């Protein structure tokens, strides 16, 4: 799991914010050390080999596995923490870690707004300025340099935006039912909702489902809106997305 | 839609930072990979940290960002700034080890370039929809902007 996180924190005492940022960064490194399937010595690798049981792991491992089980249940198995038969919660960890970092930063006294971008998935809390909401562009997978939409957090204190797609590196989403690259008519799915931990999972699941089933399923989820872009350059949205554009 | 203020100074849109903002970026452990061929368009060796050229008569200057290791190879970008605004972004190093890399980069790099430029003009705080190569690109871009003192 190699990825970049960037933080945007508004308000608060600089020294307190810096200390909280250092803690947030340490928390991300710790998440990588616990969950990376690329590290033989991570707790998740040891769990997968049967060298550890969940109760012996750090508390975060149980927390993430519980959230992942919920994501798997809500997505009817389309989001999965198993890859080629072995435990791989990578799909949920990035969003969870970014959301956790954002919430820790927002708890610092005087902080009025936090935006954390973890590899293109964003958790926003509060607002950057008193009368300006956070705004996130959604990269258009079919038009170099273009934005497919701009999502605004106006009117809400918590909003997350996650995008799954094939645009840059070819298919990297696996259909949990076949174990192969997902056969889908989509090139990108962007999901908007309060918690990054889940919208990230929903984007992955809906991508694997394809546009018809994915859109119907996303529409059924409370507090979730989405934008789906097909290989044929059709844009399909959930009914309430318009209220989040801006 | 909010009115765009065209005279607003460069906001670190893709990179998330501003005057009253504490920003930081980190790269989590990457899967080890073999080092592929690097295409270097400039004659300067890759800088260990961002490096800046002196201002020119036209008031624009270029700043080269750090070389960032991605899973597919090193990525390094150079930015051109004029009056505190980003006017161009070019990749001076990017993975080009095989035809697939070349195909991806012929598509991805122009996209990332205009994404950075467009982000600045669209008054947005962040962009959703990036993966590995663009992460490296963004990190190098951030180091270039840091070196430029923006």
């Amino acid at each position: 799991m190699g990825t970049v996180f960037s933080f945007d924190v508004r308000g608060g005492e600089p020294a307190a914010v810096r200390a909280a940022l250092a803690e947030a960064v340490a928390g991300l490194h710790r998440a990588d050390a616990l969950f990376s399937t690329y590290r033989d010595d991570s707790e998740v690798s040891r769990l997968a080999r049967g060298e550890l049981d969940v109760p012996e792991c750090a508390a975060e491992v149980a927390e993430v596995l519980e959230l992942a089980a919920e994501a798997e249940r809500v997505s009817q198995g389309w989001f999965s923490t198993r890859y080629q038969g072995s435990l791989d919660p990578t799909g949920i960890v990035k969003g969870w870690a970014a959301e956790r970092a954002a919430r820790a930063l927002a708890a610092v006294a005087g902080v009025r707004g936090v935006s954390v971008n973890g590899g293109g998935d964003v958790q926003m809390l509060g607002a950057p300025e008193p009368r300006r909401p956070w705004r996130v562009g959604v990269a258009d997978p079919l038009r170099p340099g273009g934005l497919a939409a701009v999502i605004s957090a106006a009117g809400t204190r918590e909003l997350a935006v996650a995008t799954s797609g094939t645009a840059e590196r070819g298919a990297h989403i696996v259909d949990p039912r076949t174990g192969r690259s997902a056969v889908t008519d989509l090139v990108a799915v962007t999901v908007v909702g309060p918690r990054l931990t889940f919208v990230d999972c929903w984007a992955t699941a809906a991508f694997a489902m394809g546009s018809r089933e994915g859109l119907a399923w996303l529409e059924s989820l409370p507090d979730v809106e989405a934008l789906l872009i097909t290989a044929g350059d059709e844009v399909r949205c959930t009914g309430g997305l318009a209220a989040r554009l801006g | 839609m909010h009115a765009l203020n065209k005279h607003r100074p460069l906001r670190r849109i893709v990179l998330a930072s501003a005057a009253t903002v504490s920003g930081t970026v980190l790269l989590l452990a990457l899967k080890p990979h073999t080092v592929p061929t690097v295409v270097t368009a400039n004659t300067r060796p890759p800088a260990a940290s961002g490096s800046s050229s002196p201002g020119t008569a036209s008031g624009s200057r270029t700043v080269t960002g750090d070389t960032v290791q991605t899973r597919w190879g090193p990525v390094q970008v150079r930015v051109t700034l004029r009056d505190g605004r980003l006017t161009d972004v070019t990749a001076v190093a990017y993975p080009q080890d095989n035809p697939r890399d070349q195909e991806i980069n012929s598509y991805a790099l122009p996209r990332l370039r205009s994404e950075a430029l467009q982000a600045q003009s669209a008054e947005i705080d962040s962009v959703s929809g990036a993966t590995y190569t663009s992460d490296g690109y963004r990190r190098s871009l951030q180091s270039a902007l840091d070196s430029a003192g923006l």
Side-chain angles (χ1 to χ4, degrees):
Chain A
M1 181 173 75
T3 221
V4 172
F5 286 78
S6 59
F7 301 88
D8 190 340
V9 182
R10 308 297 178 108
E13 285 300 316
V17 170
R18 270 178 212 294
L21 274 170
E23 269 181 54
V25 168
L28 292 172
H29 282 297
R30 178 173 160 80
D32 193 48
L34 288 174
F35 293 99
S36 178
T37 53
Y38 295 138
R39 295 176 176 217
D40 281 344
D41 61 345
S42 73
E43 290 200 351
V44 159
S45 294
R46 296 176 63 202
L47 260 180
R49 289 196 301 267
E51 297 168 15
L52 277 181
D53 292 324
V54 174
E56 297 175 283
C57 293
E60 293 109 307
V61 174
E63 180 189 343
V64 166
L65 292 180
E66 205 165 296
L67 290 164
E70 186 178 347
E72 193 157 342
R73 191 175 62 246
V74 173
S75 68
Q76 295 138 29
W78 283 97
F79 176 85
S80 171
T81 52
R82 303 201 82 77
Y83 176 63
Q84 293 178 346
S86 76
L87 179 69
D88 184 352
T90 319
I92 196 169
V93 169
K94 187 177 71 168
W96 168 81
E99 180 182 335
R100 182 178 67 162
R103 291 189 188 282
L105 289 164
V108 174
V111 167
R112 63 175 181 273
V114 174
S115 169
V116 175
N117 186 326
D121 299 325
V122 189
Q123 175 76 57
M124 295 160 280
L125 300 169
E129 287 159 37
R131 277 170 299 282
R132 190 176 78 82
W134 290 115
R135 299 173 80 231
V136 177
V138 177
D140 187 331
L142 298 174
R143 273 171 208 81
L147 294 178
V150 175
I151 307 293
S152 164
T156 180
R157 302 294 298 167
E158 303 193 351
L159 198 68
V161 180
T163 300
S164 280
T166 55
E168 213 172 289
R169 271 284 161 182
H172 66 275
I173 293 175
V174 173
D175 184 335
R177 293 165 192 210
T178 63
R180 298 179 177 193
S181 283
V183 177
T184 178
D185 59 336
L186 291 164
V187 290
V189 176
T190 297
V191 180
V192 181
R195 294 194 60 185
L196 186 55
T197 302
F198 289 121
V199 296
D200 196 10
C201 297
W202 306 157
T204 309
F207 186 89
M209 288 179 192
S211 64
R212 185 187 297 262
E213 189 175 349
L215 184 64
W217 174 67
L218 289 164
E219 197 74 85
S220 76
L221 299 176
D223 301 324
V224 166
E225 303 301 339
L227 175 92
L228 298 83
I229 300 176
T230 70
D233 203 12
E234 258 188 290
V235 176
R236 311 186 68 182
C237 304
T238 53
L241 184 75
R244 287 264 154 259
L245 297 178
Chain B
M1 203 66 157
H2 296 261
L4 299 183
N5 179 351
K6 302 240 191 280
H7 300 293
R8 197 187 178 98
L10 173 69
R11 294 171 59 244
R12 231 173 278 175
I13 301 293
V14 178
L15 313 151
S17 199
T20 58
V21 171
S22 312
T24 187
V25 169
L26 74 152
L27 192 64
L28 293 180
L30 291 165
K31 189 177 186 177
H33 60 83
T34 55
V35 177
T37 314
V38 181
V39 173
T40 314
N42 61 344
T43 52
R44 198 164 30 188
S49 63
S51 57
S52 170
S53 73
T56 65
S58 68
S60 73
R61 61 185 176 127
T62 60
V63 181
T64 305
D66 293 349
T67 301
V68 173
Q69 299 297 329
T70 73
R71 195 165 157 184
W72 288 276
V75 171
Q76 186 179 27
V77 304
R78 180 193 290 150
V79 299
T80 306
L81 301 137
R82 190 188 174 95
D83 300 331
R85 286 189 67 84
L86 203 55
T87 57
D88 198 11
V89 184
T90 53
V92 295
Y94 50 90
Q96 197 161 325
D97 209 26
N98 59 51
R100 180 67 181 140
D101 278 338
Q102 291 167 24
E103 184 192 333
I104 289 163
N105 283 310
S106 67
Y107 162 79
L109 294 174
R111 172 190 147 193
L112 291 163
R113 172 183 176 277
S114 17
E115 189 181 296
L117 295 173
Q118 172 147 356
Q120 177 174 256
S121 63
E123 287 255 328
I124 54 179
D125 301 288
S126 208
V127 174
S128 178
T131 57
Y132 295 93
T133 308
S134 59
D135 286 338
Y137 175 95
R138 280 166 197 215
R139 191 162 181 251
S140 186
L141 181 55
Q142 167 134 7
S143 70
L145 295 180
D146 285 344
S147 299
L150 292 169

